[in-house]
Amino acid sequence: MNIHPYLTGDLLRHLDAMGHGDTVVLADAHFPAARTAAAHGRILDFPGVTTPGLLAAIRTVIPLDEHETALYLMSSPDGRLPVQDELIGAAGAQAKDVRELQRGDFYTAAEAGFLVIRTGETRTYGNAILRKGVVS
């Protein structure tokens, strides 16, 4: 088995600890990741990695939830941005799997995440919440 180089031991340990329906927040460099993770303390930093790149790596070991919305994005006032299209592609998501949330709702959903991962993504709205499916 080839393990993607972005999948560190710490990241794999956290992803393994997640249950079906738990969420992982992939945050860009602008996102208040430390504050969002303060309640549970599960935060990882990947400063040299883009959010779509890390999402693609995570999807090699985590399936999408088939029963609920699997991917959440923060809606942009300018419509869907290229980084968001990249996130959808990296997740391998279909339109039915994706939901856009207003900023405040996205932050609330992120606070309920099992794990927060801060990336080095500098493009705005480069955030996503991924809901874990059943690993077979």
Side-chain angles (χ1 to χ4, degrees):
M1 175 178 195
N2 293 326
I3 297 176
H4 194 287
Y6 292 168
L7 299 178
T8 65
D10 279 345
L11 177 54
L12 288 169
R13 179 176 55 84
H14 286 298
L15 294 174
D16 182 54
M18 290 172 60
H20 174 222
D22 282 343
T23 59
V24 57
V25 179
L26 292 102
D28 65 26
H30 314 287
F31 192 81
R35 184 186 71 207
T36 301
H40 55 67
R42 290 182 295 270
I43 185 169
L44 297 174
D45 284 306
F46 284 76
V49 178
T50 66
T51 307
L54 187 58
L55 180 53
I58 289 171
R59 282 286 287 123
T60 66
V61 294
I62 296 296
L64 295 176
D65 193 327
E66 296 178 3
H67 303 288
E68 293 187 48
T69 301
L71 184 68
Y72 297 88
L73 302 175
M74 186 185 303
S75 61
S76 163
D78 299 322
R80 186 162 297 155
L81 302 173
V83 68
Q84 294 172 314
D85 288 331
E86 289 178 37
L87 288 165
I88 293 167
Q94 304 298 314
K96 67 176 180 60
D97 301 321
V98 181
R99 182 169 168 210
E100 292 187 21
L101 301 173
Q102 295 296 318
R103 181 180 176 174
D105 293 334
F106 188 90
Y107 284 179
T108 299
E111 288 172 357
F114 180 87
L115 170 66
V116 177
I117 305 170
R118 180 177 29 223
T119 69
E121 181 63 64
T122 58
R123 294 175 288 178
T124 57
Y125 296 93
N127 306 296
I129 300 173
L130 179 71
R131 185 176 305 280
K132 182 179 179 180
V134 176
V135 178
S136 56

